[in-house]
Amino acid sequence: MATTEYRSKVPFWRDPVKRGHLFQAAVLLTALAIGYTLFVNTQANLQRQSIATGFGFLEREAGFEIAEPPIPYSAADTYGRALLVGALNTLKVSSVGIFFSLILGTIIGISRLSHNWLVSRLSVAFIEVMQNIPVLLQLFFWYAIFYEAFPSPRQALNPLPGLFLCNRGLIFAVPAAHPSHVWMLAAAGVGIVGWFLLVRWGHRVQDRTGRLLPVHRMGMALTVLLPLAVWLLAGAPTAMDVPVLRGFNFRGGLTVSPEFSALLIGLILYTSAFVAEIVRAGIQAVSKGQIEAAMSIGLKPGQVLRLVVLPQALRVIIPPVTSQMLNLTKNSSLAIAIGYADFVSVANTTINQTGQAIEGVALIMLVYLFFSLSTSLFMNWYNKKMALVER
Amino acid sequence: MKLTRLIALVVGMSLLMAGVAFAGKDLDAVRKKGFIQVGVNGDLFGFGMPDEKGVWRGLDVDTARAVAAAIFGDASKVKFTPLTAQQRFTALQSGEIDILTRNATRTLSRETQLGLNFVHVNYYDGQGFMVPKKLGVKSAKELDGATICVLPGTTTEQNVADYFRSNGMSWKPVVIESTAELSKTFFAGRCDVMTSDASQLAGIRAVAPNPKDYVILPEIISKEPLAPAVRHGDDQFRDIVDFAVMAMIQAEEFGITSKNVDQMLKSKDPAIQRFLGVTPGNGKALGLDEKWAYNIIKQVGNYGEVFERNVGVNTKLGLERGLNALWTKGGLMYTPPFK
């Protein structure tokens, strides 16, 4: 009672709670006012300079080609579809890039802690070199290697039958399309589900009897053998789509372009150096006692790493690694410098041809925001899952 | 990096445009600044590129100098901003530059949707193809399946798509933003073909490691009238830029050169007297000094001189006048009367 009375006497500018609300309201209003002014001003200026606005241009014919569309695309398609192709290209290069830079980064991070002098020194050298050279420079370097060092298609290197290496990229034979392929893919899916179930079953067996079953080997066999069985059942089709040099270029087969490869290699090497340092820090964060305890109960070094150290280290590793994954995605926009048709590259061309700079940049921001938010949502979920569960 | 730059550009654009709105006319802003900010190519030999000493050279560069001579009576009152094909229109829209003279093609959509006004054409061009001689290609019709180097965000990019589509041929683009980097990949053999405006191809070939190994195919697949551009909203400024370009052409037609312009002041021809400001009127109408055309010709030269100095037959580019000859000599260079 007394407190309330005391409170009511305090003028509102002395009350920290009320003052807090006041400041927050002021900040919010200022932000809104700035946003509104920017919007109105931009609209008025665009109007005055008679620059067209709106998203109508997405429906119009793009009229430009894109080198390696992951979905069917031609110059007769719309700007909307061109932008979709760009977004998928960004998704492709960043997801493959993230996958490999995590693997490579983990390996290098662990090797940096190796007791083998040469291995640890080499890892340090790799990390220092990759971290300290700007990623754009690295991209130019890898791209230059592709177009300078490899011969023209007519003199293409042919190290294996059906595989060609030239300045148009890596071109290789792929099995010709066959109806059984869909079923093989389904069988592989069944194999992976089976693997997962095997692992759970293995855990139960171990809990009950203490016996360790080779579940991973069994699961792997399942994943390989099931599609193979389907392939045999389908009559073992062996027809290949072999690349042939016709006119200027190879026709048929599958091509991995120099632009994609250079971007991918550059991003992977650059990012994995940072991932390696994070992994190293994460492992060193696990207290020595944990490792000694694990060894004292007779676990092998590999098991110590896999069962004791990594699960604890992951908690330290995941948040900064998430930010490296986001960095890789954002860095992929440097693609424009070496001619890979990522989202920024396609959006820039669209902006240039339509003049819709504001809409185009808004789309760029939206797409990267979407990629970043979905990555961090997933990683936050994974982080929660990995977080210390106290029993 | 690119992304942050773009975002900064847009935010900056809205702020800058607000600034421009209060500063009044573009011409006033330029006069207050004391120089013109001009967007040019930056690495296109003959049109816009600094020489070994860092002095800007080229047809587009001289066009900008002519405008400075008209406004300030001093052709050196220009600052150049090198721009890529992707950046050029945004830079003009946002007020980062006052004039764009960067071999930009005037088209309907650019004129209507970008908030720009193009002025008189300073080079009539057309799109062509360049190939290494050793490919043995004689015509663009033989290019089915070729990989083609092309600059992004250009009319070129769409023309080549149209051309291959209408001829039922396929092709693969290699699209890199910087002309220098794109040329490097072409000379290294990453593409079979390089396509651009014929003048640009000549400029790119001029700086090739071995220019004789490349040939420009006979087909010209488009019209590319290259013209300087200014922002919407200041008609007087637009007129000045327009007539500065045309004054160089008119001077050539009159036979006035940077060498004989002082003698020409004594000419009895009333048209020349009006043109050089001996008889006043033209300067006042444009809001300029009466000597504006004299200053252009004295300091920069007439169109023919500028052409021969930068891209003509005696330069590394070795371009013929062709379409860019005066109308009196079978070309397209024709201006309205200066009265």
Side-chain angles (χ1 to χ4, degrees), chain B residues 28-203:
Chain B
D28 293 343
V30 164
R31 283 209 167 113
K32 209 187 259 172
K33 258 193 313 197
F35 62 90
I36 321 172
Q37 194 75 41
V38 179
V40 289
N41 195 307
D43 47 21
L44 184 59
F45 185 84
F47 286 83
M49 190 176 181
D51 65 13
E52 328 54 86
K53 293 190 192 101
V55 181
W56 284 90
R57 302 269 176 223
L59 185 70
D60 285 336
V61 166
D62 281 346
T63 304
R65 290 201 174 111
V67 179
I71 296 177
F72 299 108
D74 182 351
S76 68
K77 299 261 190 247
V78 194
K79 287 190 180 163
F80 296 101
T81 307
L83 296 168
T84 68
Q86 299 254 17
Q87 301 162 335
R88 54 187 170 176
F89 298 123
T90 324
L92 184 59
Q93 288 167 341
S94 65
E96 197 184 318
I97 54 172
D98 305 310
I99 310 175
L100 178 73
T101 63
R102 192 202 172 280
N103 43 16
T105 305
R106 178 179 182 180
T107 68
L108 185 145
S109 65
R110 286 176 178 177
E111 189 80 60
T112 52
Q113 287 164 16
L114 298 183
L116 313 176
N117 280 326
F118 285 90
V119 300
H120 198 271
V121 171
N122 71 343
Y123 193 94
Y124 288 98
D125 211 337
Q127 184 176 346
F129 297 98
M130 175 159 71
V131 293
K133 258 186 198 148
K134 63 172 196 278
L135 276 185
V137 174
K138 292 279 174 288
S139 152
K141 296 265 160 52
E142 301 166 29
L143 293 178
D144 190 17
T147 305
I148 302 182
C149 276
V150 58
L151 286 166
T154 53
T155 47
T156 317
E157 203 181 3
Q158 288 176 315
N159 293 336
V160 67
D162 286 353
Y163 182 78
F164 275 72
R165 238 201 298 174
S166 63
N167 284 296
M169 305 192 293
S170 70
W171 66 295
K172 266 192 185 168
V174 170
V175 174
I176 297 176
E177 197 183 10
S178 119
T179 311
E181 191 65 25
L182 186 70
S183 322
K184 235 170 39 187
T185 59
F186 170 66
F187 294 130
R190 170 67 184 99
C191 320
D192 305 301
V193 185
M194 174 107 183
T195 187
S196 193
D197 296 348
S199 67
Q200 280 215 39
L201 291 179

Side-chain angles (χ1 to χ4, degrees), chain A residues 4 10 25 43 45 54 147 185 195 231 237 287 360 377:
Chain A
T4 348
V10 176
Q43 283 291 324
N45 282 314
Y147 65 70
L185 203 69
W195 190 344
W231 180 69
S287 87
L377 270 180

Side-chain angles (χ1 to χ4, degrees), chain A residues 27-39:
Chain A
V27 168
L28 184 69
L29 278 179
T30 318
L32 284 177
I34 290 175
Y36 178 77
T37 316
L38 271 178
F39 179 75

Side-chain angles (χ1 to χ4, degrees), chain A residues 1 12-13 61 71 95 105 115 142 191 305 307 309 327 353:
Chain A
M1 195 66 193
F12 74 94
W13 61 86
E61 184 185 290
I71 52 170
S95 52
H115 295 299
W142 294 114
L305 194 66
L307 298 172
V309 178
N327 274 349
Q353 288 182 354

